[in-house]
Amino acid sequence: MTGKIIQSVDRAIDILELFMATGPELSIKEISEKLGLSKSTAHGIIKTLEHRGYLQQDPESLKYRLGIKLFELGNVVGSSMDIRKIASPLIRSLVEELSETVHLAVMEREEVVYVEKLEGPRTLTIYSHVGKRAPVHCTGVGKAILAYQSNEQIDRMLATEELVAHTKHTLTDAAAVKEHLNNIRENGYAVDDEEIELGLKCVAAPIFDHQGNVTASISCSAPKVRADDERFAEMVGKITAAASEISAALGYRSPQTV
């Protein structure tokens, strides 16, 4: 196991964990002494962590404290755990009712991460698995989240992320994706019609937290041959209802119910 450890990463984690054990603020000298690091080594790692937002320096004392990035990561972990606990019985019910695969996903770093997946009784091979990252522009779960971000964030993501064509149906033009996102907001759900994988059709709905933000979504995927208009309408109804129930459990109150 020792041979697999990257020393610089290990030391960076030691520095972050030191704040939990000793106090809210530490100087470079204090960090180097407590961890037995040279000041030059500690300085390089600390400056890298500061650059990435994991540490921040007090302009007056010049000491360092934990940065906002750790708070953001903690929120992602906490929210995904809460959502999984709340969504789990609903996901089981959906799979029983629809006999198709259901996913739960959260947004993290311009991508979506699958945090839950329950397969239906009928064989369906999908590339997804729990912990897998996926693009936002061509997955149902991704588009259901992306559509509810601010215009600034959408523009930034579409400008910086490569819109890779996974199939001939994938939208790779930023303007076309933005128009598609407008339709998602109007409908209240997203559809992936063979955009990430040929032969696969999916419906996904956004999950709102208590502040009205969308950082998660739930979806149902089925082979297109099984998802005719009547069947797909049933999937849409059940997925949007489940998303609304999860949102309510997270403390969301829609404008219509306030």
Side-chain angles (χ1 to χ4, degrees), residues 195-213:
E195 295 171 50
I196 187 69
E197 190 173 337
L198 289 174
L200 186 69
K201 193 168 183 179
C202 164
V203 57
I207 295 172
F208 295 83
D209 65 17
H210 68 286
Q211 295 179 317
N213 299 318

Side-chain angles (χ1 to χ4, degrees), residues 182-245:
N182 288 335
N183 293 334
I184 291 171
R185 285 191 294 272
E186 291 178 4
N187 295 329
Y189 61 88
V191 176
D192 162 16
D193 193 355
E194 299 187 287
E195 295 171 50
I196 187 69
E197 190 173 337
L198 289 174
L200 186 69
K201 193 168 183 179
C202 164
V203 57
I207 295 172
F208 295 83
D209 65 17
H210 68 286
Q211 295 179 317
N213 299 318
V214 174
T215 57
S217 60
I218 187 170
S219 72
C220 180
S221 302
K224 191 165 182 177
V225 294
R226 288 207 296 260
D228 58 23
D229 290 348
E230 182 178 353
R231 174 68 167 163
F232 196 70
E234 181 186 12
M235 290 167 58
V236 170
K238 291 187 180 297
I239 284 294
T240 53
S244 295
E245 189 169 342

